[in-house]
Amino acid sequence: MNAPRRAPLLAPSFLAADLANLQAETERLATSAADWLHFDVMDGRFVPNISFGLPVLQAVAKYAKQPLDVHLMIEEPQHYLSAFRDAGAANITVHYEACPHLHRVVQQIKQLGCRAGVALNPHTPVALLEDIAADLDVVLVMSVNPGFGGQAFIPNTLKKVAMLKELLLDAGSDALIEIDGGVSLANAGPLVEAGADVLVAGNFVFSAPAGPVATLAALRDHLQALDASAAEGFDGSRKQ
């Protein structure tokens, strides 16, 4: 079973932004090619690092023009869902590995009016989502080990995305597949080809010499060119 390919969404990750100037970073992304703004929350328990919390999300939300995509890398996320919604989250993603009562947590998120997402660590099989796939709005595939930015992309992610795409289609789920970690021009095309719908990019965007706005535009152009090339090839194969 195949489904029409959706235009991929781009979600720059604030973990790699200039943390001393988050208002300026948010404002300059307002008219960029960014579709979502990705916001990583780490508690030092689920992952060995501590990052943003509620006050920072509230501050960013005042200036954000794009939906805030909040990725909770925390233990017991069910206790904080309404607070993150109130702080400005449009999407809330929790980790499969942190939620023994995952269905209940997903329903909590949806009842708050947010998109409900579930993230999978690199070692977690996509098959574990089979019984909940139809309830999800987003599945986030970690293409690095969670906790730190700047890590190298794990190549097996491409196989995992393709398997996840098949699982979602079989379940009748319209969930978006989001990729987080090591995304760049080198792997963006293959990820989208495998089934990815949302690309989170941190260091690639914010550390680029051209700056985040130009880099996001280049990534968008790159993906559109690949899509156009694929369409031409498909048309050509039909004419032969």
Side-chain angles (χ1 to χ4, degrees):
M1 186 190 308
N2 294 315
R5 184 188 296 176
R6 294 177 278 212
L9 305 178
L10 304 182
S13 174
F14 269 72
L15 192 63
D18 182 353
L19 302 185
N21 295 284
L22 286 182
Q23 177 181 341
E25 295 281 50
T26 307
E27 289 177 335
R28 71 170 167 170
L29 289 172
T31 57
S32 73
D35 299 289
W36 295 350
L37 302 181
H38 189 76
F39 194 88
D40 288 308
V41 179
M42 307 179 192
D43 63 359
R45 295 174 60 208
F46 181 69
V47 293
N49 198 7
I50 297 173
S51 65
F52 311 115
L54 289 160
V56 178
L57 180 62
Q58 286 177 317
V60 168
K62 293 178 183 178
Y63 305 99
K65 300 301 182 184
Q66 294 95 336
L68 295 176
D69 180 42
V70 176
H71 177 194
L72 299 182
M73 288 178 266
I74 66 176
E75 297 284 355
E76 301 181 335
Q78 65 272 16
H79 298 312
Y80 307 98
L81 300 176
S82 61
F84 277 104
R85 187 278 311 272
D86 292 344
N91 312 333
I92 299 178
T93 294
V94 299
H95 268 263
Y96 174 91
E97 303 84 3
C99 297
H101 304 290
L102 183 60
H103 184 269
R104 182 185 301 164
V105 175
V106 167
Q107 294 308 310
Q108 283 181 262
I109 297 171
K110 295 172 85 72
Q111 288 166 9
L112 290 169
C114 298
R115 288 191 188 93
V118 170
L120 300 176
N121 280 344
H123 72 281
T124 303
V126 300
L128 293 174
L129 295 181
E130 183 176 2
D131 291 329
I132 198 171
D135 297 300
L136 301 178
D137 300 307
V138 178
V139 179
L140 188 156
V141 176
M142 292 300 304
S143 44
V144 299
N145 285 293
F148 298 93
Q151 299 179 65
F153 178 82
I154 298 173
N156 188 61
T157 303
L158 293 169
K159 177 182 176 182
K160 192 169 184 178
V161 170
M163 293 172 62
L164 174 59
K165 187 67 175 181
E166 286 300 314
L167 184 151
L168 293 175
L169 288 172
D170 289 345
S173 173
D174 199 38
L176 299 170
I177 298 176
E178 183 172 7
I179 311 301
D180 187 359
V183 171
S184 68
L185 285 175
N187 53 39
L191 282 167
V192 172
E193 182 66 28
D197 302 294
V198 186
L199 302 179
V200 176
N203 283 330
F204 170 71
V205 169
F206 287 102
S207 298
V213 174
T215 303
L216 285 165
L219 180 55
R220 172 76 72 212
D221 291 344
H222 173 71
L223 292 171
Q224 289 177 341
L226 290 176
D227 191 53
S229 177
E232 289 176 4
F234 178 72
D235 289 343
S237 66
R238 291 182 64 184
K239 292 174 184 177
Q240 292 176 359

